Amino acid sequence: MSSCTVCPRTAPDGQHLCQLHAGELRGWLAEIPAQALLLAEEFVARSARPAQGRVGGTGQAVAPVPVDLRVLALLGPGRYDPQGADDDGQPPIAATLGAWAGHIAYHHPAAHRDPHGIARLQPCEQASPRHGESITGWCAWLTAYLPFALTLPLAAGLHDALDTLVRRLRHLTHSQPQQHPRAAPCPACDLCTLVRTDGRWYVHCLTCGHQLTPDQYDQHAARVLKTRTAIHERTHPMTERVPVRVLLLFGDEAEIVADVPAEERAEPVRYPAADIAAATGVPVDQLAGQRLTAEVGADDQLSDWRVA
């Protein structure tokens, strides 16, 4: 195991980020296309839509909605250097994602044969997203190659860049994925900090970063519930209150039967008359024929006598 380059947590062998921050990267890459679409629909499309004229035409009846230049900068073209500082501090989304994809691709080995037929390895020349060089395409490419990126020292820089980008998007859209706490404790640290975040597949722990698939969490929660139920039953045995009747007194003992018709009664059971008198407040010499209620314990013994 190695140390996470973002926090003091432990990272899996061969990786530079812990499970928590690796999960954040996956979540951000799933969130960014939706945030970009929201920007385009709410800020750009509405300002470009013509207003309806008074006589039913499409003439401009009112002043157009002003466009936030920060939105245009994020959605427009541009360039970004993942190894250097950006000029205006707000690089376009697609340029940021594409630059990081190219930076990762340069470290990925590619096999090819030279003109003499000899197999050689060399860095990839560029990243080629299957779905085109769009925000969605770059996010899909980065998600696919994220396991490889986590093995590179640049993983911390990628985390920092996407963290900054997502914060800008959320600031503009006022939209943020919600966390939904889970009831079962984390199986790794035993703390109740498991959450499911909108847009993320894994249930993850906010404390140690442990991750569970939804099926794994359901199985874990079922085991926890079963264990806690068994412990509760041992420490708080279930009891039932039943109606009984003192049939007769025999010396210091009282014969107790169920308060049901005689043909349905079982054999009487004897209990100390003094204990029954002390619990109910009925003198011993007046117990015979008295109707009571009592709790039936796990061992079928009666206790907690009360006057019916």
Side-chain angles (χ1 to χ4, degrees):
M1 305 293 281
S2 56
S3 297
C4 177
T5 53
V6 176
C7 72
R9 296 184 182 88
T10 301
D13 288 335
Q15 297 188 8
H16 292 268
L17 295 184
C18 64
Q19 289 185 325
L20 178 64
H21 290 104
E24 285 181 342
L25 283 176
R26 293 187 183 91
W28 292 338
L29 290 171
E31 177 186 351
I32 288 172
Q35 292 280 14
L37 180 62
L38 186 60
L39 280 180
E41 290 180 346
E42 294 297 321
F43 291 87
V44 178
R46 290 173 67 182
S47 64
R49 189 180 304 126
Q52 188 75 14
R54 251 195 281 187
V55 293
T58 57
Q60 193 75 26
V62 295
V65 179
V67 179
D68 192 327
L69 294 180
R70 295 173 300 174
V71 175
L72 294 180
L74 284 169
L75 296 179
R79 68 179 301 275
Y80 171 77
D81 183 3
Q83 295 181 293
D86 186 71
D87 294 336
D88 61 2
Q90 186 168 290
I93 302 172
T96 301
L97 299 173
W100 275 105
H103 191 35
I104 294 168
Y106 180 76
H107 292 81
H108 196 282
H112 76 288
R113 291 188 180 274
D114 63 15
H116 303 286
I118 300 175
R120 298 186 184 278
L121 286 177
Q122 68 177 32
C124 292
E125 294 182 358
Q126 63 180 14
S128 300
R130 180 178 301 177
H131 303 288
E133 296 183 1
S134 61
I135 294 175
T136 301
W138 287 126
C139 284
W141 191 97
L142 287 168
T143 300
Y145 283 88
L146 187 58
F148 172 72
L150 294 175
T151 66
L152 303 175
L154 59 78
L158 174 63
H159 182 277
D160 182 63
L162 293 189
D163 183 20
T164 302
L165 175 59
V166 168
R167 288 177 185 273
R168 287 172 179 160
L169 292 172
R170 291 175 179 175
H171 177 72
L172 290 170
T173 63
H174 302 288
S175 175
Q176 182 171 345
Q178 299 299 307
Q179 292 182 341
H180 307 275
R182 304 289 90 180
C186 174
C189 66
D190 203 34
L191 296 177
C192 294
T193 50
L194 285 176
V195 298
R196 180 185 63 79
T197 304
D198 294 339
R200 295 197 193 180
W201 172 249
Y202 289 96
V203 175
H204 60 282
C205 177
L206 297 176
T207 302
C208 70
H210 187 72
Q211 296 185 127
L212 298 166
T213 66
D215 288 342
Q216 288 173 336
Y217 172 78
D218 290 341
Q219 295 170 8
H220 167 63
R223 288 193 298 268
V224 170
L225 178 61
K226 183 177 180 180
T227 301
R228 290 185 174 179
T229 301
I231 293 174
H232 181 79
E233 290 178 350
R234 288 198 302 269
T235 57
H236 301 81
M238 296 183 63
T239 58
E240 178 186 3
R241 181 162 291 278
V242 295
V244 297
R245 187 174 183 180
V246 181
L247 189 60
L248 295 169
L249 292 176
F250 285 89
D252 294 336
E253 294 184 322
E255 275 197 351
I256 305 297
V257 294
D259 194 6
V260 294
E263 63 272 13
E264 299 179 17
R265 293 175 184 170
E267 292 294 321
V269 181
R270 294 185 181 183
Y271 289 89
D275 292 350
I276 299 175
T280 61
V282 178
V284 171
D285 57 359
Q286 298 179 20
L287 282 177
Q290 185 72 46
R291 283 186 164 85
L292 310 171
T293 64
E295 285 190 352
V296 184
D299 55 357
D300 291 332
Q301 293 295 305
L302 299 179
S303 62
D304 191 19
W305 307 93
R306 298 179 189 177
V307 176

